Amino acid sequence: MKLLYTNENRLLVSNVKNIVECAGVEVTLRNEFSGGGVGELSTIDSWLELWVVSDEDYEKANDVIASSINADNAQGWFCSGCAEKNDASFDFCWNCQTEKNVD
Ligand SMILES: [Zn+2]
């Protein structure tokens, strides 16, 4: 078993779990039920953790996550003029009208 992904935002971890499972990788969650009594735990101890069951799936799972995160980035762009974030459908910055910089 290998730790694949963890985040203090449990929704993000659940989301990644769904993505990886759809790609056919067997995964399991840890700290699934520790969210309630955070009192005595350090914050990081209560983070939801996503583990890959078979070590040989680890690289594949990482690739799946990386490509899904890249897809998220493709949904927007940052202006080269004022650094504001713009929707992917905008060709010009909403804030300063700088043209979208396509690398
Ligand atoms: Zn701008």
Side-chain angles (χ1 to χ4, degrees):
M1 294 244 291
K2 281 192 174 184
L3 178 61
L4 179 66
Y5 184 84
T6 186
N7 195 291
E8 64 182 326
N9 184 339
R10 291 173 165 250
L11 283 176
L12 278 182
V13 179
S14 297
N15 194 27
V16 168
K17 175 176 180 280
N18 287 338
I19 292 167
V20 173
E21 280 183 335
C22 282
V25 176
E26 195 183 347
V27 287
T28 185
L29 290 171
R30 293 220 180 144
N31 295 334
E32 198 170 0
F33 304 109
S34 65
V38 173
E40 293 173 15
L41 297 168
S42 72
T43 308
I44 192 140
D45 279 341
S46 64
W47 285 19
L48 192 57
E49 294 177 351
L50 186 64
W51 289 71
V52 179
V53 174
S54 305
D55 285 6
E56 57 262 36
D57 283 339
Y58 179 78
E59 231 171 277
K60 177 185 174 184
N62 250 336
D63 284 350
V64 170
I65 293 173
S67 59
S68 104
I69 287 171
N70 286 340
D72 280 349
N73 287 342
Q75 288 170 7
W77 55 279
F78 289 94
C79 175
S80 59
C82 69
E84 278 297 333
K85 190 177 185 197
N86 287 274
D87 194 273
S89 62
F90 294 176
D91 289 329
F92 294 88
C93 175
W94 64 268
N95 186 46
C96 70
Q97 282 77 52
T98 299
E99 192 170 357
K100 182 179 179 180
N101 185 11
V102 188
D103 292 317

